Amino acid sequence: MTHSFVPTGVELLRLSPEILLVLAGTLLLVLEGLTGAKRGRELGRLALVALGAALLASLAAARQPGLAFSGSISADGFATFFRLVVIAAGLLVALFSGPYLRRESAERGEYYALLLYSVAGQCLMASANELIVLFIALETSSIASYVLAGYLRADRRANEAAVKYFLLGSFASAFLLYGIALIYGEAGSTWLGQIRAALAGPPGSATPLAGAAAAFLFAGFAFKVSAAPFQVWAPDVYQGAPAPVAAFLSAGPKAAAFAGLLRVFMTAFEPVSASWEGIVWVSALATMIVGNLAALLQSNIKRLLAYSSIAHAGYVMVAVTAHSSIGTAAAMFYLAAYVFMNVGAFAVVSYFARQGERYVHVDDLAGLAWRQPVVAALLSLLLLSLIGVPLTGGFFGKFYVFTAALEAGLVWLTVLGLLNSAVAAYYYLRILVVMYMREPSEAAADLAAPPAPVRAALWASALATLILGIFPSTVLEYASKAAALAP
Amino acid sequence: MDALLFLIFASIAAVCGLNVVIQRQPIASALSLIGVMGSLAVLYLLLGAQFIAAAQVIVYAGAVMVLFVMVIMLLNAGAERPTGASLVASTLGVPLLAGLFAALAYVIFAGFPEPELVRFGQFRQGGAAELGYALFTRYLLVFELTSVLVLIAIAGAVVLAWREVKR
Amino acid sequence: MHLWLIPAFPLAGFLLNGIFGRRASKTFVNAVAVGAVLASFLWTLKTLGALWPLEALHLERYFTWIQAGDVRIGFDLAMDRLSAVMLLVITGVGLLIHIYSIGYMAHEGGYYRFFAYLNLFMFFMITLVLAANFLLLFVGWEGVGLCSYLLIGFWFLRSSATNAANKAFIVNRVGDFGFSIGIYLIYLHFGSLDFPEVFQAASRQPVEAGLGPLTLIGLLLAVGATGKSAQIPLYVWLPDAMEGPTPVSALIHAATMVTAGVYMVARCSAIYTHAPLAMEAVALIGLATAFLAATIGLTQFDIKKVFAYSTISQLGYMFLGAGVGAFGASIYHLWTHAFFKALLFLGAGSLIHALGEQDLRKMGGLRAKTPITFWTLLAAAVSISGVPFTAGFFSKDEILLAAYHHAPWMYWMGTLTAALTAFYVFRAIFLAFFGEPRGWSHAHESPPVMTVPLALLAVLSLIGGFAPVSRWLAPSFPAAQGHHETVLVAISVGAGLAGIALAWWFYVARPGLAERVAARLGAFYRLVYNKYFVDEIYRAALVQPVITSSQQMLWRKVDVGWIDGAVNGLAARACAAGDLLRRLQSGNLRSYAAWVLLGALGLLLTIGVAGGAR
Amino acid sequence: MSAAGVPLSWYLVLAALLFTLGAAGFIFRRNIITMFMCIELMLNAVNLTFVALAYHLRQVDGLVLAFFVMVVAAAEAAVGLAIILTVFRNRASVQIDEVQALKD
């Protein structure tokens, strides 16, 4: 382990996406101060450029894979995959945030700055190879997103979302942190590799401390990915937060938290996997059931998508339960597909809701297909992907996840998971029915065509979903290579 | 001597901690919390962590809690009213918490079975120099990252608490 | 050979009509939609000609779809004799139905949308039969389901149509659930999803005596097939699906999509022949469905419902054929059935078009007004009744013979069903065309764009049986036993003729007798008339419990019963109840915190205290 | 018990006790500010654990981790109090039971 005060060039390159995002965020804050809140649109464009550059930087960093900063981060294929996913999610959200914020007269540089900081935190979570880096990265992502949830500060719903998210998030963070403390006591280190080495001793050498640490770390991550029974915050927060922020919360933080979860549990805690796989099994099943059953009864579309995102976390948990490199690859693929389809669906909601989010009821979408056939068609594609219909990314996500589960011998979990996804079709289908088979509602009747950024975000997510459904090989191959995490 | 100090300050910490929880007046809770933090600072000293003890007093008791007290005063928050109720919290709360403490205690005693006695002065690397060296080598990235965290906190506070929203 | 062009034409038609159809003229929409199917039909013929006699499988690999480890799943299409027969049915009959639709849908709104969906359906259906692996087949399988859903709900302002569409989709999801588990098991068992590999591997395995992996796979695939092909217990969606426009009923719910299950079972014959238990199940399901649906068909008055139950019944025949090992005969029947059943539906559509009415009780005496419809429907009726040397005669007898060699009682049940079939089909014909007009004032024959397809299908219904389909397919399937036995053939023909005669006696010679018999049968008649109350039973046994358990069980019982009861006893500050999920999601942060704490403690106890100290 | 010191586990159990008390306050208190203070109490408990473990391992790392926890706590405090302020502005109350408009 080098003890240099000055990071080398290649180390900086391996961290370049995060550096870029943080610098751009700070620049936005400064420019916001200088221009006096009049240049929101331009600052938004700058944020898009920064995210695009970070995307390229991730690819550049991937050309020099390896450890950096005393081994506390690892710019490997796994990190690159998740970096690309969370940056892409951030890019899409930033794209359709603009029209939404302008409608609420709230487009300012701070919004984009916080978005960039949050994405930077998520990128770092994906590459963190040491627990305290992981924790601080998680807090970076979280604290920024607490503020984003309450960004429309005059809105009572947004306040409530922010305070609930903040308090529960901090509560869960405290558990996560306690978990880090306990594993530090057990292993004497917070570097994942050293923890693994410490736990890999002969059977019986690990004390209950290791188990307790695994429990609390899992609780912390499960909170962020909204897995049962830690999912309680998600519906309220998604409903109350501004639609683009809800989209963001359902995508980036969730993917990044899964990245952290996978890396920690597939490397550091892999030697004691027998102690935690049972509980992950239960959590996966409970998450799927709670998400799908509750979604059946929802009429608020943001809440419905919240429960749906809980259910999808459950499917990814199935892949985690498999705890094999195939399972990890399946989880990665699923998350990539999930991020696009979910963000795309939220893009439609953010556009459709109108000022003050007046139209967020499923029935408000009635007859959308008549007024905006293209939007309806693209949304249908995304919904079909969420159902898991073939030729969409969502289908292959489920396919890989359940294949991995079967290879790990989890027959019952697979059967119950498939049953769940059969139930889930119902509530997505309800939206389809409403859009295509009802007379236009007043909400759909006076709907203007979507602004260009929303259109772009929608097309991009629909195309990504379709590409993942028709040509999944490339992505899966990459994920399979990346899934072999170095211990 | 060590044992006596521990017992005194551990008791103060525990009693103040309990007081944080049972007081209805937020300001009383805040003052109790300061009590906890102060006694923890002494315990840190006993464990040989001079720098952290100082930071505890300066950062926590000095800055964070001042902020709390200020907000409590600003909002003029009086004693809380026993409005509403959470069924789950009121029924499951006590057993859950008792279970949590019992489980943690079990785990700790199982993890540290042999009584290792804490003696003041046995650990001498808790000073600013050692800490600083670690911060700028192994933990350089985290250290830089915390500056981002503080920046976010500032930006967030500005976004949320800046005086007016023009809509 | 560019097999991909066959599905590509309808896909292009769908895209063209879907994107430009709204503003384009009807002529453009017609030209695109019919042209696409025609091109696809011609290309099928050309390919078939070039590959003739198609003794081996012709496989075309386009690109790798999924590469995971050493498993490769490709975007591969393949043509063999089985898929060639299917293709001819799909594109040929499909073409006629497209042409017919021009006339039938002429005055309907959403004209372009109809043809776009119809083309999309053709694309998925062709993909389904050309697919060279299970995954691609599943793509087509789900795709046709989606199109069927869209087309059943085509008249979406009618709530019955949207309900029927939903019912079809949801019931099919149940089947697909079994099918997808079956596919996973195939992947797990054989390590591949490619047809050639899987079937070769399957044929090398010993025949399973009991419940082995092949049997399990066979049963699960059969669950999928019962959904798509409307067999017991999942047949309930098909009668409701008649809410869709009649050409849709003819194309999707008679000739093509519903036969996908039969096709799939035949395709997997290598698996089934090694899993006799699964085959027996298929045969029993088929026979039971054939008989049950035929009895329901006896009592229906909606002409489309009669034919819908007839479709279910005939599909049951095909399942019976496959189940007793006569895969060739089963596909043979699929072939002839496509002609006469499409014709029955299109003829019914022609009547509906003429009268605006589909209740048989309000028809009567239409023979003179709609002569072409009458004669063509009569051709279909004699064919389905198995009158000698019509198409239905050949295929049905092959199935019945095979059934006899498998188990004679199956033959007798099948023959009885044949008599019932002849009875209800001729009952419909006699009620519609004979006797006095009952309640209609003006009727007109349909335009040539509709009657020409009718005539062509009538010819096919009469002579289509001379195409030696099952003999041509024989090399593809394990040999079915059974040779021609004149006595058995005579009996089944006699049963059909008896059915016709009885229908004549009831509805032409002695009108009014039917009502008296129905009244005499009383409760039994009502049971059959109400379709054995299967829908009601399903609602009570399956649908309601799901709703009830999520609302009532978790709600009333768990919450009000346990939590509240306990709380009321323990603490005085118990408050009003909500459901369990609602309790979870009360909006109260402290409750949420308690759940988080509960979860953390649960984890701590299971992992930390109980599991960690290994 | 030797006069010279107490077992390390006592420190850790004290931390566990404070952690539990923090959790208790979070669940039972109704004032949002108090709830938030209870989270601070939990973080302090974790810090005591870190410092005690640093002593046990004779490593400075544990102290560094405790230091980072403090920074996180400070950042959380700034943002958290700002969020509480916005809630107070909109509802003129900091009672958590009055902030439950969002529910099923």
Side-chain angles (χ1 to χ4, degrees):
Chain A
M1 203 178 287
T2 54
H3 283 243
S4 138
F5 287 91
V6 183
T8 61
V10 72
E11 281 185 307
L12 290 176
L13 176 67
R14 285 170 188 157
L15 193 66
S16 56
E18 288 87 349
I19 296 177
L20 235 157
L21 289 168
V22 166
L23 287 182
T26 315
L27 180 66
L28 284 174
L29 283 181
V30 172
L31 287 178
E32 168 70 26
L34 292 178
T35 57
K38 285 184 210 68
R39 297 268 166 188
R41 190 188 282 253
E42 284 76 9
L43 295 181
R45 288 198 188 127
L46 188 62
L48 289 181
V49 172
L51 285 162
L55 219 48
L56 296 179
S58 318
L59 294 175
R63 299 176 72 89
Q64 295 267 354
L67 300 174
F69 293 92
S70 316
S72 61
I73 66 162
S74 167
D76 50 11
F78 184 82
T80 308
F81 187 93
F82 276 104
R83 275 173 172 171
L84 293 175
V85 168
V86 298
I87 296 174
L91 192 65
L92 290 174
V93 170
L95 201 55
F96 69 82
S97 291
Y100 182 95
L101 294 173
R102 280 198 286 284
R103 205 166 60 212
E104 308 288 339
S105 322
E107 189 176 31
R108 296 174 55 191
E110 286 105 350
Y111 176 87
Y112 294 110
L114 288 167
L115 194 72
L116 293 190
Y117 287 143
S118 188
V119 174
Q122 290 154 22
C123 285
L124 198 58
M125 280 169 82
S127 45
N129 203 25
E130 189 260 351
L131 285 175
I132 205 74
V133 171
L134 185 58
F135 176 72
I136 304 276
L138 180 98
E139 283 294 306
T140 308
S141 159
S142 302
I143 293 183
S145 48
Y146 300 150
V147 181
L148 285 175
Y151 180 75
L152 298 176
R153 54 193 157 178
D155 185 313
R156 285 167 62 99
R157 287 171 299 178
N159 288 155
E160 181 169 342
V163 80
K164 282 182 171 169
Y165 190 27
F166 167 72
L167 283 176
L168 282 177
S170 314
F171 190 57
S173 288
F175 281 96
L176 181 72
L177 201 55
Y178 205 7
I180 296 178
L182 293 176
I183 198 64
Y184 174 65
E186 170 78 14
S189 171
T190 49
W191 267 261
L192 297 183
Q194 295 179 22
I195 295 172
R196 184 194 173 99
L199 296 183
S205 62
T207 73
L209 272 184
F216 280 174
L217 282 169
F218 184 79
F221 287 122
F223 179 85
K224 288 293 168 201
V225 304
S226 62
F230 306 98
Q231 89 296 354
V232 275
W233 60 276
D236 290 13
V237 173
Y238 286 19
Q239 187 189 345
V245 176
F248 183 67
L249 294 182
S250 72
K254 186 174 274 195
F258 264 119
L261 177 75
L262 285 167
R263 200 190 278 271
V264 170
F265 280 80
M266 295 305 143
T267 59
F269 287 99
E270 179 59 26
V272 291
S273 66
S275 67
W276 52 261
E277 62 192 3
I279 204 78
V280 182
W281 192 99
V282 174
S283 176
L285 182 61
T287 310
M288 289 189 291
I289 291 176
V290 168
N292 283 322
L293 273 189
L296 287 177
L297 305 169
Q298 293 306 317
S299 57
N300 181 308
I301 197 161
K302 282 168 84 185
R303 253 187 126 72
L304 190 146
L305 284 173
Y307 281 113
S308 122
S309 91
I310 292 170
H312 286 283
Y315 301 131
V316 182
M317 275 293 180
V318 172
V320 178
T321 315
H323 74 90
S324 57
S325 66
I326 304 173
T328 309
M332 290 163 77
F333 185 93
Y334 198 100
L335 283 165
Y338 160 80
V339 159
F340 286 112
M341 59 206 189
N342 208 49
V343 169
F346 266 114
V348 176
V349 175
S350 85
Y351 142 74
F352 190 84
R354 253 62 66 78
Q355 204 192 351
E357 298 203 354
R358 271 175 299 155
Y359 300 114
V360 286
H361 206 267
V362 171
D363 287 337
D364 289 332
L365 286 169
L368 182 65
W370 296 68
R371 299 289 174 228
Q372 297 292 338
V374 178
V375 176
L378 294 177
L379 180 58
S380 310
L381 178 71
L382 296 168
L383 290 171
L384 290 175
S385 179
L386 285 163
I387 296 177
V389 168
L391 286 185
T392 60
F395 169 73
F396 277 110
K398 289 207 176 68
F399 182 79
Y400 294 140
V401 163
F402 290 126
T403 307
L406 275 182
E407 297 224 341
L410 304 167
V411 178
W412 279 109
L413 192 58
T414 307
V415 170
L416 293 169
L418 283 171
L419 203 59
N420 253 289
S421 68
V423 170
Y426 178 76
Y427 55 85
Y428 296 119
L429 214 58
R430 215 174 67 209
I431 304 180
L432 266 178
V433 170
V434 165
M435 283 198 303
Y436 278 91
M437 301 192 175
R438 293 260 190 89
E439 287 285 8
S441 65
E442 57 148 334
D446 62 342
L447 185 64
V454 175
R455 236 174 13 237
L458 195 51
W459 274 103
S461 28
L463 280 180
T465 305
L466 211 54
I467 288 171
L468 284 175
I470 301 179
F471 310 103
S473 282
T474 332
V475 177
L476 187 76
E477 232 170 276
Y478 188 87
S480 308
K481 273 192 217 120
L485 286 164
Chain B
M1 186 60 193
D2 282 17
L4 194 63
L5 281 175
F6 173 82
L7 287 177
I8 291 171
F9 285 99
S11 317
I12 295 177
V15 170
C16 284
L18 190 65
N19 211 34
V20 172
V21 177
I22 59 175
Q23 283 297 329
R24 293 199 159 194
Q25 284 282 358
I27 193 75
S29 294
L31 293 176
S32 312
L33 187 55
I34 293 176
V36 176
M37 288 169 174
S39 38
L40 284 189
V42 177
L43 295 183
Y44 292 166
L45 272 180
L46 284 178
L47 289 165
Q50 304 101 323
F51 181 80
I52 294 295
Q56 171 85 356
V57 174
I58 297 166
V59 176
Y60 255 130
V64 173
M65 287 320 293
V66 167
L67 202 58
F68 268 97
V69 172
M70 206 184 73
V71 171
I72 292 171
M73 296 301 189
L74 185 70
L75 303 188
N76 200 12
E80 61 184 36
R81 286 157 286 147
T83 50
S86 161
L87 245 157
V88 190
S90 52
T91 49
L92 293 180
V94 173
L96 279 183
L97 292 161
L100 180 69
F101 180 64
L104 283 174
Y106 165 79
V107 165
I108 288 166
F109 284 121
F112 297 93
E114 68 282 2
E116 177 199 10
L117 295 182
V118 175
R119 290 195 182 82
F120 181 70
Q122 286 228 329
F123 175 53
R124 297 185 167 281
Q125 284 122 52
E130 289 85 357
L131 228 85
Y133 186 79
L135 276 181
F136 286 103
T137 51
R138 292 197 295 285
Y139 293 97
L140 177 64
L141 176 63
V142 193
F143 185 70
E144 299 295 342
L145 198 57
T146 51
S147 65
V148 179
L149 207 55
V150 173
L151 203 57
I152 294 174
I154 296 169
V158 168
V159 165
L160 293 173
W162 200 251
R163 225 164 39 79
E164 211 7 47
V165 198
K166 292 180 193 69
R167 294 192 58 168
Chain C
M1 290 317 309
H2 297 297
L3 280 180
W4 62 274
L5 275 173
I6 303 175
F9 285 123
L11 181 64
F14 160 71
L15 291 175
L16 274 176
N17 270 341
I19 296 170
F20 305 111
R22 198 142 81 116
R23 288 174 202 86
S25 66
K26 277 192 177 173
T27 326
F28 173 83
V29 174
N30 293 340
V32 168
V34 176
V37 181
L38 180 66
S40 174
F41 178 58
L42 292 177
W43 195 257
T44 306
L45 290 181
K46 183 189 173 297
T47 315
L48 206 52
L51 294 174
W52 195 262
L54 196 61
E55 267 159 355
L57 179 86
H58 171 72
L59 184 68
E60 291 185 6
R61 294 183 188 276
Y62 298 108
F63 64 90
T64 297
W65 198 10
I66 307 156
Q67 179 81 54
D70 49 351
V71 176
R72 173 198 173 276
I73 299 173
F75 216 98
D76 306 337
L77 299 180
M79 192 158 176
D80 61 358
R81 291 187 169 182
L82 176 58
S83 48
V85 172
M86 293 299 293
L87 272 182
L88 286 175
V89 168
I90 294 162
T91 54
V93 176
L95 178 63
L96 293 177
I97 293 173
H98 270 73
I99 295 171
Y100 175 93
S101 303
I102 296 174
Y104 190 83
M105 298 300 289
H107 310 298
E108 298 291 340
Y111 192 74
Y112 80 98
R113 216 156 43 86
F114 180 81
F115 279 102
Y117 290 162
L118 223 48
N119 273 182
L120 184 64
F121 168 78
M122 295 296 282
F123 162 71
F124 279 120
M125 191 70 210
I126 293 168
T127 309
L128 194 160
V129 295
L130 278 180
N133 59 54
F134 279 100
L135 204 59
L136 200 56
L137 182 138
F138 192 60
V139 169
W141 187 270
E142 291 279 293
V144 291
L146 185 69
C147 294
S148 141
Y149 165 75
L150 289 171
L151 283 165
I152 295 170
F154 183 75
W155 283 312
F156 48 78
L157 296 182
R158 295 211 302 235
S159 72
S160 56
T162 48
N163 287 343
N166 275 338
K167 189 172 177 182
F169 198 90
I170 289 166
V171 171
N172 267 299
R173 288 298 294 190
V174 178
D176 294 352
F177 166 64
F179 190 27
S180 51
I181 296 182
I183 293 181
Y184 278 117
L185 285 186
I186 289 172
Y187 174 75
L188 210 62
H189 189 68
F190 297 103
S192 168
L193 288 177
D194 272 6
F195 287 154
E197 277 185 50
V198 170
F199 296 143
Q200 268 169 28
S203 57
R204 277 196 301 271
Q205 299 201 354
V207 175
E208 279 172 2
L211 189 75
L214 287 181
T215 310
L216 198 59
I217 290 170
L219 289 173
L220 286 167
L221 294 183
V223 170
T226 56
K228 192 71 52 190
S229 291
Q231 297 295 294
I232 288 173
L234 299 179
Y235 69 88
V236 288
W237 64 272
L238 186 60
D240 289 27
M242 296 302 129
E243 287 292 338
T246 305
V248 171
S249 311
L251 176 63
I252 300 185
H253 306 121
T256 56
M257 183 190 84
V258 290
T259 61
V262 180
Y263 163 77
M264 195 256 288
V265 171
R267 174 60 76 199
C268 299
S269 58
I271 293 177
Y272 279 100
T273 44
H274 290 78
L277 212 59
M279 264 178 97
E280 196 65 29
V282 168
L284 287 174
I285 288 172
L287 188 59
T289 312
F291 181 73
L292 193 80
T295 58
I296 298 176
L298 295 175
T299 61
Q300 298 301 303
F301 286 105
D302 181 324
I303 187 166
K304 282 182 76 179
K305 288 269 164 90
V306 174
F307 296 154
Y309 281 103
S310 163
T311 305
I312 298 173
S313 171
Q314 296 297 309
L315 288 166
Y317 260 110
M318 297 177 211
F319 267 68
L320 173 65
V324 299
F327 295 101
S330 165
I331 297 296
Y332 190 17
H333 196 56
L334 189 160
W335 161 268
T336 58
H337 174 257
F339 301 138
F340 59 70
K341 187 49 61 63
L343 178 54
L344 283 175
F345 272 111
L346 295 184
S350 174
L351 284 182
I352 296 165
H353 192 73
L355 295 174
E357 179 59 64
Q358 48 194 83
D359 190 333
L360 285 167
R361 284 168 294 196
K362 296 182 182 154
M363 294 182 181
L366 281 163
R367 204 169 8 155
K369 287 280 184 182
T370 56
I372 303 175
T373 308
F374 168 64
W375 285 110
T376 51
L377 267 181
L378 194 62
V382 295
S383 183
I384 193 176
S385 305
V387 171
F389 310 114
T390 59
F393 162 74
F394 295 104
S395 54
K396 187 183 287 184
D397 273 334
E398 270 197 38
I399 291 179
L400 288 176
L401 281 177
Y404 185 81
H405 286 280
H406 186 74
W409 70 272
M410 287 187 168
Y411 166 83
W412 292 110
M413 280 287 282
T415 306
L416 177 59
T417 307
L420 295 176
T421 306
F423 180 84
Y424 66 70
V425 170
F426 272 90
R427 166 179 173 271
I429 300 275
F430 293 145
L431 279 174
F433 293 102
F434 287 75
E436 296 302 308
R438 292 183 296 267
W440 54 270
S441 49
H442 58 87
H444 57 87
E445 183 57 282
S446 301
V449 71
M450 288 166 69
T451 50
V452 170
L454 288 182
L456 284 173
L457 281 170
V459 172
L460 285 170
S461 300
L462 293 176
I463 63 160
F466 291 105
V469 173
S470 58
R471 208 168 341 119
W472 195 55
L473 286 175
S476 319
F477 295 121
Q481 332 151 332
H483 40 89
H484 226 254
E485 285 185 42
T486 322
V487 181
L488 294 177
V489 175
I491 292 173
S492 66
V493 167
L497 292 175
I500 299 174
L502 205 60
W504 173 266
W505 175 254
F506 266 61
Y507 293 98
V508 180
R510 301 278 301 276
L513 180 62
E515 281 84 353
R516 287 199 297 281
V517 173
R520 184 75 58 81
L521 287 171
F524 181 69
Y525 179 81
R526 276 196 301 282
L527 179 68
V528 179
Y529 179 72
N530 288 304
K531 306 153 206 164
Y532 299 103
F533 296 99
V534 169
D535 276 321
E536 288 75 8
I537 293 168
Y538 279 7
R539 179 179 304 279
L542 296 172
V543 180
Q544 207 57 42
V546 171
I547 297 169
T548 318
S549 63
S550 76
Q551 286 185 344
Q552 306 289 315
M553 237 290 279
L554 291 175
W555 228 48
R556 303 263 151 81
K557 294 262 164 49
V558 176
D559 198 63
V560 182
W562 306 346
I563 297 183
D564 236 39
V567 170
N568 277 328
L570 288 172
R573 56 214 206 102
C575 60
D579 64 55
L580 180 64
L581 291 172
R582 206 155 280 196
R583 169 68 59 212
L584 251 160
Q585 219 56 58
S586 60
N588 189 305
L589 189 77
R590 298 189 298 124
S591 304
Y592 296 180
W595 287 110
V596 171
L597 190 61
L598 176 71
L601 181 62
L603 288 169
L604 183 61
L605 290 177
T606 45
I607 309 182
V609 177
R614 284 176 313 113
Chain D
M1 184 185 76
S2 147
V6 293
L8 182 82
S9 46
W10 290 26
Y11 282 89
L12 296 175
V13 170
L14 174 65
L17 177 68
L18 291 177
F19 191 84
T20 310
L21 282 174
F26 190 80
I27 286 183
F28 291 126
R29 291 271 59 96
R30 293 185 168 76
N31 187 308
I32 301 177
I33 305 178
T34 316
M35 292 174 77
F36 187 25
M37 282 194 284
C38 292
I39 291 177
E40 295 290 335
L41 182 58
M42 293 167 82
L43 293 183
N44 266 285
V46 175
N47 260 358
L48 180 58
T49 311
F50 271 129
V51 174
L53 291 172
Y55 177 90
H56 167 68
L57 297 163
R58 306 291 194 274
Q59 271 183 1
V60 74
D61 296 55
L63 305 182
V64 176
L65 301 183
F67 173 75
F68 289 133
V69 174
M70 281 186 191
V71 180
V72 169
E76 269 187 1
V79 167
L81 290 172
I83 290 176
I84 294 172
L85 272 178
T86 61
V87 172
F88 183 75
R89 277 207 195 117
N90 278 308
R91 299 180 195 243
S93 164
V94 281
Q95 293 269 345
I96 193 65
D97 294 334
E98 287 167 20
V99 187
Q100 47 177 328
L102 300 174
K103 57 181 168 185
D104 261 337

